[in-house]
Amino acid sequence: MSYELTIEPIGQTIEVEEGQTILDAALRAGIWLPHACCHGLCATCKVQVLDGEIDHGEASSFALMDFERDEGKTLACCARLESDVTIEAEIEEDPDAESIPVRDFPGTVTRIEALTPTIKAVFIETDEPMHFQAGQYINFFLEGGEYSRAFSLANPPSTGREVELNIRIVPGGRGTTWVHEQLQVGERVRLSGPYGRFFVRKSAPEALLFMAGGSGLSSPRSMILDLLEAGDTRQMTLVYGQRNRAELYYHDEFLALAAKHSNFTYVPALSDEPADSGWEGFRGYVHEAATAHFDNDFRGHKAYLCGPPLMIDACITALMQGRLFERDIYMEKFFSAADVQQVRSPLFKKI
């Protein structure tokens, strides 16, 4: 059984299967709706129901209050149709965004490599190529498809059927522990995607600043490799931070790229490296390294941020102090049910 969902103001009607959420149906039809946590907690995907009946599902009473339900609002990531429905959503047009329908991609794990003591690169050859924009992410179905976790794609789109995921083990985390301790080469797995609106605004003339921490390097790496492969001539800078040298992965690759491309600059930063280690690079955090490198003046840039929530907030503060503001700052936001309340930056109305 299925129902019809009409999405305003674009006036497009799609088919929604019984039990399928509004958000999943829209993304699989190539229609982007604002969303973030996908757990019914952050309220980013709130839409207005104009006509029809829906089930609110697991929507949090904090993200979707009782009076909002009475007013006909719902969360697209949780809501399921009980009749034909018409909704109204805030859909922003972006000239650099591609409309790529979300699909399922079965594949085989071909390689697993230790990048650092806590991060592994998982390479998966999908049965058919996945088209995506550099910076987007996928859902990786774990333990035989019992559940999924979101991971950014670390490879550029040009690699065809092979995708790369850089996965940091989270203490006590069911999914990342399984990947690090049980996932085997040759295992059949499934991905769905691509997801997200984190991509380079290629039509903008400004220089590019990438700020990354931890395994948040995945998306910026995909973006940078894609841009350099295409011969992009804009100035681009990567400021990448880790705690110590052992955790600083793809360091040699970025040094080589900086030596080869005059328009690419690499600024590594270590926040907890032993004083006697011989490290000659910047000592401190990502936002401090960027502030020092640009002399606290970020004007004329588009900034792309990816990393832990505390790093993101510190980088936003530094950028705004250096006269770069919301319209020129982009980031990918990953939420879990546990940390959703901590991730949202108080500096942004839209984030």
Side-chain angles (χ1 to χ4, degrees), residues 179-200:
V179 169
H180 275 249
E181 297 181 359
Q182 298 183 48
L183 183 63
Q184 299 293 320
V185 170
E187 193 159 340
R188 291 287 291 174
V189 294
R190 178 166 61 95
L191 314 174
S192 69
Y195 296 97
R197 299 277 276 190
F198 190 50
F199 52 85
V200 173

Side-chain angles (χ1 to χ4, degrees), residues 43-206:
T44 304
C45 66
K46 192 175 294 180
V47 297
Q48 180 72 46
V49 179
L50 301 178
D51 186 54
E53 300 296 324
I54 56 94
D55 176 357
H56 293 292
E58 304 81 23
S60 161
S61 59
F62 294 99
L64 187 67
M65 297 184 180
D66 289 342
F67 77 89
E68 293 179 306
R69 298 172 193 235
D70 294 338
E71 292 174 350
K73 292 182 172 61
T74 194
L75 302 185
C77 74
C78 296
R80 293 168 172 83
L81 273 56
E82 295 184 331
S83 71
D84 292 343
V85 168
T86 300
I87 64 168
E88 184 175 42
E90 294 184 9
I91 301 176
E92 295 182 3
E93 295 294 328
D94 191 314
D96 293 301
E98 293 185 41
S99 295
I100 307 173
V102 167
R103 296 174 52 201
D104 292 320
F105 291 88
T108 303
V109 178
T110 54
R111 288 182 287 155
I112 301 176
E113 299 177 1
L115 298 176
T116 79
T118 62
I119 300 173
K120 286 190 175 182
V122 177
F123 296 87
I124 300 167
E125 185 175 291
T126 53
D127 293 354
E128 56 183 302
M130 177 190 297
H131 176 57
F132 67 95
Q133 287 187 270
Q136 291 190 292
Y137 69 93
I138 55 85
N139 279 334
F140 184 12
F141 290 84
L142 309 176
E143 296 193 58
E146 287 187 28
Y147 58 97
S148 67
R149 294 290 184 267
F151 298 105
S152 294
L153 291 155
N155 56 289
S158 61
T159 54
R161 289 170 53 196
E162 184 177 72
V163 301
E164 177 184 350
L165 310 176
N166 298 161
I167 300 176
R168 181 179 67 89
I169 189 168
V170 177
R174 176 184 175 185
T176 60
T177 299
W178 181 81
V179 169
H180 275 249
E181 297 181 359
Q182 298 183 48
L183 183 63
Q184 299 293 320
V185 170
E187 193 159 340
R188 291 287 291 174
V189 294
R190 178 166 61 95
L191 314 174
S192 69
Y195 296 97
R197 299 277 276 190
F198 190 50
F199 52 85
V200 173
R201 272 59 183 178
K202 293 185 176 180
S203 65
E206 290 88 352

Side-chain angles (χ1 to χ4, degrees), residues 150-278:
F151 298 105
S152 294
L153 291 155
N155 56 289
S158 61
T159 54
R161 289 170 53 196
E162 184 177 72
V163 301
E164 177 184 350
L165 310 176
N166 298 161
I167 300 176
R168 181 179 67 89
I169 189 168
V170 177
R174 176 184 175 185
T176 60
T177 299
W178 181 81
V179 169
H180 275 249
E181 297 181 359
Q182 298 183 48
L183 183 63
Q184 299 293 320
V185 170
E187 193 159 340
R188 291 287 291 174
V189 294
R190 178 166 61 95
L191 314 174
S192 69
Y195 296 97
R197 299 277 276 190
F198 190 50
F199 52 85
V200 173
R201 272 59 183 178
K202 293 185 176 180
S203 65
E206 290 88 352
L208 306 168
L209 170 58
F210 301 95
M211 303 172 75
S215 58
L217 181 63
S218 299
S219 288
R221 178 176 182 258
S222 176
M223 292 168 158
I224 291 166
L225 293 177
D226 183 49
L227 290 166
L228 293 177
E229 285 178 3
D232 197 294
T233 58
R234 285 173 294 179
Q235 291 295 317
M236 57 188 85
T237 302
L238 169 64
V239 184
Y240 174 47
Q242 278 282 17
R243 289 177 56 82
N244 53 60
R245 180 63 185 89
E247 293 290 340
L248 194 68
Y249 70 102
Y250 285 131
H251 178 65
D252 292 338
E253 176 183 74
F254 287 116
L255 288 175
L257 288 173
K260 181 179 179 181
H261 299 276
S262 60
N263 63 322
F264 175 64
T265 302
Y266 172 50
V267 182
L270 300 180
S271 62
D272 194 27
E273 177 71 359
D276 59 353
S277 69

